[in-house]
Amino acid sequence: MRDTDVIQHIQDLCKERNWSYYRLAKESDIPYSTLNNMISRTNIPTIPTLQKLCDGFGITLADFFLDQPEHPQLTDGQKELVELYNRLDHEKKNVLKAYIKGLLMEV
């Protein structure tokens, strides 16, 4: 993967989630100025920064570099849930997990 491919992939992941760079910086716990400079200057992130970005996106480094990060074993409904989950911020993800755990306790 070339440097510009890494930046493009970060931009694509933001578009998929409907996230601004500010939101990505917040979710990744990195300064917005760092992210903005990296993207505007097409500077490839360091591995620790890329790891933080992946954490923010809720993916692994391996997923980031896969050509097809899709999970073909998932049903369409599961893929939809994963896509929606990935668009949530950290706090809402925790609320959703707590809600699902509560639903499972009723069973």
Side-chain angles (χ1 to χ4, degrees), residues 70-86:
E70 293 290 321
H71 301 285
Q73 70 275 14
L74 297 179
T75 66
D76 288 341
Q78 290 168 328
K79 287 177 186 177
E80 181 182 9
L81 288 173
V82 170
E83 181 183 320
L84 292 170
Y85 176 83
N86 286 336

Side-chain angles (χ1 to χ4, degrees), residues 58-94:
I59 61 174
T60 66
L61 274 171
D63 288 337
F64 184 87
F65 288 105
L66 285 176
D67 287 337
Q68 295 294 327
E70 293 290 321
H71 301 285
Q73 70 275 14
L74 297 179
T75 66
D76 288 341
Q78 290 168 328
K79 287 177 186 177
E80 181 182 9
L81 288 173
V82 170
E83 181 183 320
L84 292 170
Y85 176 83
N86 286 336
R87 294 175 62 187
L88 297 173
D89 64 30
H90 183 70
E91 184 177 321
K92 289 178 182 173
K93 285 177 182 177
N94 287 335

Side-chain angles (χ1 to χ4, degrees), residues 14-91:
C14 281
K15 285 179 189 171
E16 284 174 15
R17 289 163 172 76
N18 228 7
W19 285 9
S20 65
Y21 297 139
Y22 178 79
R23 168 119 183 239
L24 175 57
K26 183 177 176 185
E27 294 291 328
S28 303
D29 196 30
I30 62 171
Y32 171 74
S33 59
T34 299
L35 179 61
N36 191 45
N37 285 334
M38 181 181 62
I39 293 192
S40 64
R41 296 180 184 172
T42 60
N43 292 335
I44 190 165
T46 63
I47 294 296
T49 299
L50 187 56
Q51 179 64 62
K52 285 184 175 188
L53 292 170
C54 288
D55 291 345
F57 283 130
I59 61 174
T60 66
L61 274 171
D63 288 337
F64 184 87
F65 288 105
L66 285 176
D67 287 337
Q68 295 294 327
E70 293 290 321
H71 301 285
Q73 70 275 14
L74 297 179
T75 66
D76 288 341
Q78 290 168 328
K79 287 177 186 177
E80 181 182 9
L81 288 173
V82 170
E83 181 183 320
L84 292 170
Y85 176 83
N86 286 336
R87 294 175 62 187
L88 297 173
D89 64 30
H90 183 70
E91 184 177 321

